[in-house]
Amino acid sequence: QIEVEESGGGSVQAGESLTLSCAGSPAVSDRKCMGWFREIPGNDREAVAVIYVGDGSTNVADSVMGRFTISVDSAKNTVLLQMNNLKPEDSAIYYCGRSYSCDPSRLQLYPTTYWGQGTQVTVSS
């Protein structure tokens, strides 16, 4: 059974930082893809960042370029989303997804993708 669990959300002021963490079970291997997506209630889920653990290929959405960074920790069992200079428009529920196939250049995780329950990020102006 594949499990995905996010943590690290919260409420901050504009300009502040947060780090989201995504833990996977079983352990993430080099063939895994992971990504962060976000959703505002009533809107479609949008891709924020994707990483292919095998070669470290990453990509982030234009809306967060230069502010957000996706990375894998040394144990390759946790994916981090470092979010700096947060803006009110970054407020959303952030979901971590895990897949065996992806295209970071297209910010896509391909089926079957396993999702966590999401973590709320709220940025106040």
Side-chain angles (χ1 to χ4, degrees):
Q1 181 178 355
I2 294 179
E3 297 181 351
V4 180
E5 183 175 2
E6 307 95 341
S7 63
S11 297
V12 297
Q13 297 291 317
E16 295 183 342
S17 300
L18 278 175
T19 301
L20 303 184
S21 178
C22 178
S25 176
V28 177
S29 72
D30 287 349
R31 296 178 61 188
K32 295 292 194 299
C33 299
M34 298 187 77
W36 286 97
F37 290 65
R38 65 187 182 187
E39 185 175 317
I40 299 172
N43 290 8
D44 292 335
R45 187 172 296 187
E46 65 170 350
V48 176
V50 172
I51 183 168
Y52 176 57
V53 180
D55 62 8
S57 299
T58 65
N59 193 21
V60 298
D62 289 343
S63 59
V64 304
M65 187 77 68
R67 300 187 297 121
F68 291 13
T69 304
I70 186 170
S71 64
V72 176
D73 77 354
S74 59
K76 294 187 177 181
N77 198 38
T78 302
V79 173
L80 305 176
L81 183 68
Q82 177 66 43
M83 305 186 295
N84 298 326
N85 190 23
L86 282 159
K87 303 176 180 181
E89 52 263 43
D90 294 320
S91 298
I93 300 173
Y94 283 71
Y95 295 91
C96 178
R98 177 170 170 169
S99 174
Y100 289 96
S101 180
C102 64
D103 185 346
S105 68
R106 297 176 181 268
L107 289 172
Q108 289 187 345
L109 297 179
Y110 296 125
T112 301
T113 298
Y114 300 87
W115 298 99
Q117 294 298 308
T119 185
Q120 177 72 49
V121 172
T122 303
V123 185
S124 302
S125 59

